[in-house]
Amino acid sequence: GAWWGVDRYGVYRFRILIDPTSETALLTINAVDMVRHLQRLDSELPTYKQTIRYQPNYTVLQGLALAGGVSTARRGVLARSALEVSATTASVQTAYLLASEAFTDSLMDVRADASTEATRRQALRGTYRDRYSFAVPLNDETQDIDLGTILTVKHPRFELTAGKTFVVMHVEPDAKSESIELEVWG
């Protein structure tokens, strides 16, 4: 649900991965702006279900004699390594027969927080997302592109004629060729 990385200036950045269509793009990249052609990369199928494991229990007490005052409900919690909450989109399974379920271990302690995160992740990953790579010239307009930057890409191929919003997932500046290699997702 989040990512971290070192930006071009050596600063560690932490961000939550968001739906790029919900944000305003920093700039629009057109086909004529690219110094290396747009290339479609392999994309993952959407998930039909996101399961978040929360409230981790590092000492599973199963089959041990517990004090008589421990309730049946609490015994059930102590017998598991973590509690789980899920968010499901049934229509994804119909559209993508090979759609998968994603499991995430977390350190969350509150069910409502885990449920909110499962719903957020399912909204993010429950739809098909494209990945592309291309290079743009390094200039005053593109020098601010970094991890997590939101861009609009317009290109006559891949149904991008009207433009589509993406989040930058990889940035590789090349001073020798005065260009920036980008990988986008959205």
Side-chain angles (χ1 to χ4, degrees), residues 3-56:
W3 60 269
W4 67 274
V6 181
D7 68 12
R8 291 183 294 154
Y9 306 108
V11 177
Y12 281 90
R13 301 287 181 193
F14 299 86
R15 283 190 157 158
I16 292 177
L17 183 61
I18 57 166
D19 181 353
T21 60
S22 67
E23 296 290 315
T24 304
L26 174 70
L27 63 114
T28 299
I29 308 265
N30 294 297
V32 296
D33 300 326
M34 298 177 187
V35 294
R36 189 180 62 71
H37 295 292
L38 185 70
Q39 179 181 0
R40 179 179 257 162
L41 303 173
D42 291 337
S43 296
E44 295 178 4
L45 286 175
T47 59
Y48 73 90
K49 185 177 184 180
Q50 290 281 331
T51 299
I52 303 286
R53 295 182 182 113
Y54 69 99
Q55 209 175 84

Side-chain angles (χ1 to χ4, degrees), residues 1-181:
W3 60 269
W4 67 274
V6 181
D7 68 12
R8 291 183 294 154
Y9 306 108
V11 177
Y12 281 90
R13 301 287 181 193
F14 299 86
R15 283 190 157 158
I16 292 177
L17 183 61
I18 57 166
D19 181 353
T21 60
S22 67
E23 296 290 315
T24 304
L26 174 70
L27 63 114
T28 299
I29 308 265
N30 294 297
V32 296
D33 300 326
M34 298 177 187
V35 294
R36 189 180 62 71
H37 295 292
L38 185 70
Q39 179 181 0
R40 179 179 257 162
L41 303 173
D42 291 337
S43 296
E44 295 178 4
L45 286 175
T47 59
Y48 73 90
K49 185 177 184 180
Q50 290 281 331
T51 299
I52 303 286
R53 295 182 182 113
Y54 69 99
Q55 209 175 84
N57 177 11
Y58 299 106
T59 307
V60 177
L61 301 174
Q62 188 173 16
L64 297 176
L66 297 172
V70 178
S71 69
T72 304
R74 185 66 184 154
R75 286 174 192 266
V77 170
L78 294 173
R80 301 176 69 182
S81 62
L83 300 178
E84 294 181 352
V85 65
S86 299
T88 305
T89 309
S91 61
V92 173
Q93 269 188 305
T94 305
Y96 301 94
L97 298 176
L98 297 176
S100 63
E101 178 178 0
F103 293 91
T104 304
D105 292 323
S106 78
L107 297 176
M108 292 183 208
D109 198 42
V110 179
R111 179 181 177 84
D113 294 341
S115 180
T116 299
E117 181 61 10
T119 302
R120 187 188 76 79
R121 287 186 187 203
Q122 183 56 29
L124 190 65
R125 304 295 303 224
T127 185
Y128 186 80
R129 306 285 182 168
D130 291 309
R131 286 179 46 224
Y132 296 100
S133 70
F134 55 91
V136 294
L138 180 58
N139 56 34
D140 291 341
E141 190 175 53
T142 61
Q143 71 180 357
D144 292 332
I145 297 174
D146 210 343
L147 295 174
T149 300
I150 306 296
L151 301 174
T152 298
V153 177
K154 289 185 177 182
H155 198 279
R157 295 181 68 203
F158 306 120
E159 300 176 5
L160 297 173
T161 307
K164 186 175 177 183
T165 308
F166 294 92
V167 62
V168 175
M169 302 296 278
H170 178 79
V171 178
E172 191 171 328
D174 184 357
K176 185 176 180 181
S177 68
E178 296 181 357
S179 65
I180 303 174
E181 181 77 26

